[in-house]
Amino acid sequence: MILFLFVIEKIVGIDGYITKTKGMDGSIRSKPADFLVEEISNIKACHEGDYLLVKVKKTNWDTLNFVRVLSNALGISQKRISFAGTKDKRSTSIQYFSIKGIKAENIQNLKIKDAKIEVIGYINRPLRLGDLVGNFFKIKIEKYRNGHLFGETRSEIEKLGLPNFFGLQRFGTARFITHEVGKLILQKKFEDAFWVYVAKPFYGENRKVFEIRKLVWESRDEKLGLREYPKYLRYERFLLQKIREGMNERDALLHLPKNLKLMFVHAYQSYIFNRLLSERIREFGDLKTIDVGDWACYLTYKYGKPTFYDCSFVGTNKPRVRYLVERRYASLALPLVGYTTHLAGWSSKAKEILAEDNLDLKDFKSDYREFSSSGSYRPADMIIEITDISFENSIFSFYLPKGCYATIALREFIKSEIL
């Protein structure tokens, strides 16, 4: 299983560890209740507004599926429901949603399985990513050993940094192929992108589904897929139905929900970021080294919690940036490549990685908005705030700024199959 995880991590660009300590071993997510994540938001509600703000505690629900079910229960379009971040299915998550044009009385008696909905108030705009400060996690680690290594690993991380990789969940659930779909879309190979998403088999998925996908992958027979795919593969079935109705593969992909369409190119950006971060660690051995030509992201504190808020090019300000990095008020940043990304200095290695896929920055400018990205920068070193560790109960409690993955934070400590 550990070897299998290593191979999957390589597929999404994650290669190696920054620390040299042995791992504590262990696993997480044996059941959803053992993985609690709670959003820390800076949004303020009032007594009236165009959008109803609710807080939802849900178990075994991924965000997009919950939005689909909530919209159906309310009889409204999914487009009227917004959120500040996505949460994984195999967890207990506390998350905020805004709902356009809905009043508190319309939702107070709403019942959704394994979900508790609390009305917070009203706001005058939809929730967006900037409304999320970070997330608090409380995670139970099963079957860990070598707990005495925790302090040693933590000391190494404080000296070297903690790699802010995108976690596996960024690239799919049972199949980690989302970035491959994004690459093909950028290459304008829409037919290939369609069939990779719908049918490419992936080891580790349910064996029966794997075999069905293999048949559809080889035959590209939409009728076979519609007949044999289980109902829970709803987006695959949706796309196959569009093909059966006579639509081409590109237009079928464009009919997917907006959030799902955005995920494809974003996943490919995440893959390039992971490749760059892995290379940076190999070359420098740490994430604290900053030089002219690099980029840096800066920390601010909201509600007493650190969150990244801005990035800038490192030039004549290098001494100041180094000072901030040493005191954990700044982090080295690496690019999330897009059509406006400024690739200078060490980060120009991203061009070499893109060239392997016959792509360039200009390819991130598409005729279709959901398949485009101007690019941005992301901290390479996550600033982790460990609030409590109970080795007796195997509980890790910690806070992470938005966009950081708990599984990646734990990865350096455990160094084993943690999913």
Side-chain angles (χ1 to χ4, degrees):
M1 183 62 79
I2 294 174
L3 178 61
F4 178 61
L5 176 68
F6 176 76
V7 171
I8 291 177
E9 287 188 336
K10 291 271 286 188
I11 288 172
V12 301
I14 301 173
D15 189 7
Y17 299 93
I18 199 169
T19 57
K20 301 297 189 293
T21 52
K22 287 181 61 178
M24 294 167 54
D25 294 329
S27 61
I28 62 174
R29 298 186 195 268
S30 60
K31 53 181 181 290
D34 290 342
F35 192 105
L36 173 70
V37 53
E38 180 175 2
E39 289 186 343
I40 309 298
S41 177
N42 62 2
I43 193 75
K44 295 187 183 301
C46 51
H47 296 297
E48 56 183 24
D50 296 329
Y51 296 82
L52 182 69
L53 181 67
V54 298
K55 181 166 71 172
V56 180
K57 183 175 182 180
K58 49 189 170 61
T59 300
N60 219 27
W61 280 102
D62 69 80
T63 300
L64 295 182
N65 194 30
F66 181 80
V67 167
R68 180 182 65 85
V69 172
L70 178 60
S71 68
N72 288 340
L74 292 171
I76 62 174
S77 166
Q78 294 182 41
K79 295 178 181 180
R80 290 168 59 179
I81 303 176
S82 303
F83 46 88
T86 57
K87 299 291 176 284
D88 300 329
K89 178 180 180 180
R90 196 157 183 79
S91 67
T92 294
S93 59
I94 300 173
Q95 184 174 10
Y96 293 91
F97 295 88
S98 64
I99 312 171
K100 185 177 182 180
I102 292 293
K103 298 298 182 184
E105 54 267 27
N106 300 133
I107 207 166
Q108 284 174 339
N109 296 320
L110 197 65
K111 301 294 183 184
I112 295 178
K113 182 183 178 182
D114 297 328
K116 180 181 178 182
I117 303 173
E118 177 187 352
V119 173
I120 303 299
Y122 295 90
I123 54 178
N124 290 312
R125 59 168 179 80
L127 283 177
R128 50 180 179 248
L129 187 61
D131 296 319
L132 188 61
V133 176
N135 294 285
F136 170 76
F137 296 91
K138 191 172 184 179
I139 300 171
K140 184 175 183 178
I141 300 179
E142 300 279 2
K143 301 176 184 177
Y144 77 86
R145 301 176 295 175
N146 307 318
H148 63 281
L149 291 174
F150 176 83
E152 187 178 338
T153 305
R154 186 175 185 175
S155 296
E156 267 200 276
I157 286 171
E158 289 174 354
K159 178 182 177 182
L160 304 174
L162 182 59
N164 193 22
F165 289 116
F166 284 95
L168 291 177
Q169 55 267 54
R170 179 74 166 185
F171 305 94
T173 49
R175 297 184 304 150
F176 305 105
I177 48 84
T178 313
H179 62 301
E180 186 178 349
V181 178
K183 178 188 72 174
L184 291 166
I185 285 172
L186 292 171
Q187 293 172 336
K188 296 182 172 58
K189 298 178 179 178
F190 294 104
E191 182 177 344
D192 291 339
F194 176 97
W195 288 105
V196 166
Y197 181 76
V198 165
K200 186 174 182 178
F202 197 97
Y203 286 104
E205 190 176 20
N206 174 281
R207 188 66 190 177
K208 183 178 179 181
V209 175
F210 175 89
E211 295 297 338
I212 296 170
R213 282 197 199 272
K214 188 176 179 181
L215 291 172
V216 177
W217 175 249
E218 292 169 351
S219 66
R220 298 201 170 185
D221 183 346
E222 72 275 7
K223 294 179 182 178
L224 173 64
L226 285 168
R227 186 173 67 248
E228 299 294 337
Y229 275 8
K231 290 184 179 180
Y232 72 82
L233 297 180
R234 58 187 175 279
Y235 291 124
E236 288 93 328
R237 293 179 61 86
F238 170 84
L239 290 173
L240 290 171
Q241 182 61 38
K242 292 296 181 185
I243 296 298
R244 189 175 185 181
E245 293 170 0
M247 193 175 288
N248 63 43
E249 286 85 354
R250 181 199 62 190
D251 291 345
L253 288 169
L254 288 168
H255 275 76
L256 286 169
K258 180 180 178 181
N259 288 327
L260 186 54
K261 285 184 286 187
L262 288 170
M263 286 173 60
F264 296 134
V265 171
H266 289 178
Y268 182 69
Q269 288 175 310
S270 304
Y271 163 76
I272 300 295
F273 179 91
N274 281 355
R275 288 274 306 270
L276 279 175
L277 183 49
S278 295
E279 181 63 28
R280 183 82 182 199
I281 293 168
R282 274 194 297 270
E283 190 168 326
F284 289 84
D286 68 69
L287 298 172
K288 302 298 184 182
T289 303
I290 300 284
D291 210 343
V292 172
D294 284 329
W295 283 71
C297 279
Y298 305 96
L299 280 175
T300 186
Y301 280 78
K302 295 181 179 180
Y303 301 98
K305 299 294 184 183
T307 189
F308 293 103
Y309 74 99
D310 196 16
C311 294
S312 70
F313 184 74
V314 178
T316 56
N317 62 341
K318 184 178 77 171
R320 174 64 175 168
V321 174
R322 281 185 169 177
Y323 174 87
L324 293 172
V325 168
E326 288 171 2
R327 286 155 181 78
R328 293 164 54 91
Y329 282 99
S331 164
L332 168 74
L334 295 176
L336 289 166
V337 290
Y339 59 83
T340 65
T341 308
H342 174 61
L343 293 178
W346 190 89
S347 291
S348 61
K349 290 178 182 289
K351 292 182 179 178
E352 300 171 18
I353 298 174
L354 286 169
E356 294 174 12
D357 292 331
N358 296 313
L359 288 169
D360 201 290
L361 295 179
K362 66 179 184 298
D363 294 312
F364 287 83
K365 183 79 168 181
S366 171
D367 294 333
Y368 311 103
R369 186 175 180 181
E370 292 91 339
F371 296 155
S372 296
S373 178
S374 59
S376 60
Y377 289 84
R378 172 180 170 87
D381 178 9
M382 68 170 79
I383 307 297
I384 186 171
E385 182 180 292
I386 299 173
T387 57
D388 182 53
I389 299 165
S390 172
F391 287 114
E392 181 180 351
N393 298 313
S394 306
I395 299 294
F396 278 50
S397 299
F398 54 93
Y399 164 85
L400 289 176
K402 62 185 178 184
C404 300
Y405 289 76
T407 50
I408 293 298
L410 293 174
R411 177 180 177 272
E412 285 287 339
F413 292 96
I414 295 175
K415 295 187 174 76
S416 70
E417 202 287 303
I418 65 172
L419 294 180

